[in-house]
């Protein structure tokens, strides 16, 4: 199954989902590496700009509420974690299959990097599963409703969100109640009460929220919220626990951005270790 259905090709500007993550690595290079990212206007491929334009144009509060109604009952599939990894692996894209790693290989690279650094088992497991929400693509969702930096909807947009100028095209820009600093929320209400733009973070959080410690859940739910965890925006919506959650997200972020190299892990050799780890935290089947 392709992530770029033949119908509505304009909804799928990216050659693959990794194109968004490649842009993140340019924006946030490893410590000691120089950013090659200078100007959104000239440095960014037109397809990536178009992807962000669609994302910022269409992620309205109404859209997010509709997706929450559609997905948070979790009546789309019943699968175990390993089964979901294999399902995500059926997502093929337009890039060269000889040079690109599979989705399972990407997930294992992140998990293995966390394991190498001696982190706890729940942290390793979080690395393994953190992108499984990308199966939204296989349910027919367009790229801009699966990946991309996430941001709160229903309140004023921060100029710390990448490509803030594209928010002018979002109909919510013309709703006065949504454009005060806190919008429909209250100062310090906590991110749990805030509707985030819809994507793979929020979806997976709801699938796994009864099974991982809150540190891992924060990493999953906010790993694409770069305006907050890398740029320090939106603190006025956060409560005290959210401050700690952002610390955990920051601890996770290097494994998300920098562990995905070109050397594929030996999936079959590692599989027994990860099947044990999954069974330690998760039931055999989950509702997706
Ligand atoms: Fe992700």
């Amino acid at each position: 199954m392709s992530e770029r259905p033949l119908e509505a090709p304009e909804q799928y500007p990216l050659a693959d989902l990794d194109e968004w993550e490649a842009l993140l690595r340019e924006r946030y290079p490893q410590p000691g590496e120089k950013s090659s990212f200078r100007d959104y206007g000239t440095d960014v491929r037109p397809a990536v700009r178009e992807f962000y334009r669609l994302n910022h144009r269409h992620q309205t509060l109404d859209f997010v509420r509709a997706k929450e109604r559609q997905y948070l009952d979790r009546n789309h599939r019943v699968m175990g974690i390993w089964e979901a990894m294999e399902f995500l692996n059926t997502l093929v894209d337009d890039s060269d299959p000889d040079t690109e790693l599979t989705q399972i290989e990407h997930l294992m690279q992140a998990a293995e990097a966390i394991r190498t650094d001696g982190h706890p088992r729940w942290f390793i497991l979080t690395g393994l599963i953190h992108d499984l929400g990308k199966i939204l693509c296989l349910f027919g969702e367009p790229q801009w409703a699966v990946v991309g930096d996430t941001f709160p909807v229903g309140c004023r947009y921060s100029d710390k969100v990448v490509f803030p100028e594209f928010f002018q095209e979002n109909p919510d820009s013309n709703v006065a109640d949504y454009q005060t600093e806190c919008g429909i929320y209250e100062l310090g209400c906590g991110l749990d009460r805030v509707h985030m733009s819809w994507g793979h973070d929020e979806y997976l959080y709801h699938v796994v929220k009864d099974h991982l410690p809150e540190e891992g859940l924060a990493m999953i739910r906010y790993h694409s919220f770069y305006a907050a965890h890398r740029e320090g925006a939106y603190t006025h919506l956060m409560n005290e626990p959210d401050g700690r959650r952002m610390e955990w997200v920051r601890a996770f972020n290097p494994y998300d951005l920098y562990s995905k190299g070109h050397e594929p892990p030996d999936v079959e050799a590692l599989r027994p270790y990860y099947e044990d780890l999954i069974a330690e935290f998760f039931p055999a089947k989950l509702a997706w």
Side-chain angles (χ1 to χ4, degrees):
M1 199 181 298
S2 171
E3 72 187 52
R4 306 180 87 194
L6 291 175
E7 66 274 15
E10 69 281 2
Q11 297 290 307
Y12 299 84
L14 302 178
D16 62 63
L17 299 183
D18 296 338
E19 253 196 296
W20 165 61
E21 294 180 348
L23 181 77
L24 289 173
R25 282 189 292 275
E26 285 176 37
R27 270 161 58 200
Y28 302 111
Q30 295 204 60
E33 254 179 32
K34 207 166 161 289
S35 176
S36 59
F37 187 80
R38 287 178 299 275
D39 182 344
Y40 296 118
T42 56
D43 284 5
V44 176
R45 288 203 330 107
V48 176
R49 281 178 64 84
E50 176 60 9
F51 162 76
Y52 275 107
R53 193 188 67 78
L54 290 168
N55 174 277
H56 291 10
R57 158 70 182 81
H58 292 294
Q59 291 272 0
T60 61
L61 179 60
D62 279 351
F63 174 80
V64 169
R65 285 189 163 136
K67 289 296 153 190
E68 289 168 352
R69 283 193 298 275
Q70 183 179 349
Y71 284 106
L72 299 193
D73 286 347
R74 297 192 289 124
N75 55 11
H76 292 261
R77 279 207 166 203
V78 177
M79 297 183 283
I81 292 284
W82 190 272
E83 219 179 327
M85 290 167 62
E86 290 182 329
F87 183 45
L88 182 63
N89 236 20
T90 67
L91 192 64
V92 295
D93 52 45
D94 294 353
S95 40
D96 181 352
D98 293 332
T99 59
E100 290 288 313
L101 273 74
T102 66
Q103 298 287 337
I104 287 184
E105 287 167 340
H106 274 319
L107 290 169
M108 275 196 177
Q109 281 184 326
E112 283 291 286
I114 294 165
R115 178 152 76 130
T116 300
D117 284 353
H119 289 299
R121 287 172 68 79
W122 62 261
F123 194 162
I124 302 168
L125 182 57
T126 298
L128 183 74
I129 69 170
H130 76 280
D131 270 346
L132 286 181
K134 290 179 179 174
I135 64 168
L136 285 170
C137 276
L138 295 164
F139 298 149
E141 295 299 331
Q143 290 165 340
W144 55 262
V146 180
V147 295
D149 300 45
T150 58
F151 52 86
V153 296
C155 61
R156 186 186 297 156
Y157 306 111
S158 166
D159 63 4
K160 300 289 191 206
V161 181
V162 67
F163 290 111
E165 66 273 24
F166 290 146
F167 286 125
Q168 288 169 16
E169 294 182 50
N170 188 304
D172 287 357
S173 288
N174 300 317
V175 180
D177 286 349
Y178 300 167
Q179 293 309 321
T180 61
E181 190 179 29
C182 289
I184 62 170
Y185 313 111
E186 279 171 26
L187 196 66
C189 63
L191 291 178
D192 191 47
R193 305 183 93 110
V194 171
H195 298 275
M196 298 293 294
S197 58
W198 181 253
H200 70 289
D201 302 43
E202 182 72 9
Y203 173 54
L204 184 67
Y205 163 75
H206 285 278
V207 174
V208 302
K209 65 178 184 243
D210 295 333
H211 306 290
L212 283 178
E214 64 166 335
E215 294 91 332
L217 295 176
M219 293 168 182
I220 287 167
R221 196 176 196 182
Y222 301 115
H223 73 273
S224 304
F225 192 9
Y226 281 83
H229 69 75
R230 291 295 286 245
E231 306 291 341
Y234 293 107
T235 51
H236 56 287
L237 297 177
M238 295 182 192
N239 56 19
E240 191 262 317
D242 287 328
R244 282 202 310 277
R245 291 187 183 106
M246 288 302 123
E247 288 300 319
W248 298 323
V249 179
R250 278 189 278 275
F252 172 71
N253 189 240
Y255 299 106
D256 189 17
L257 283 188
Y258 311 129
S259 63
K260 294 165 181 172
H262 297 289
E263 210 44 56
D266 187 339
V267 173
E268 279 317 303
L270 291 167
R271 181 170 173 162
Y273 170 83
Y274 283 106
E275 296 252 45
D276 277 354
L277 183 58
I278 291 165
E280 189 178 323
F281 289 86
F282 285 104
K285 298 281 181 189
L286 290 166
W288 296 79

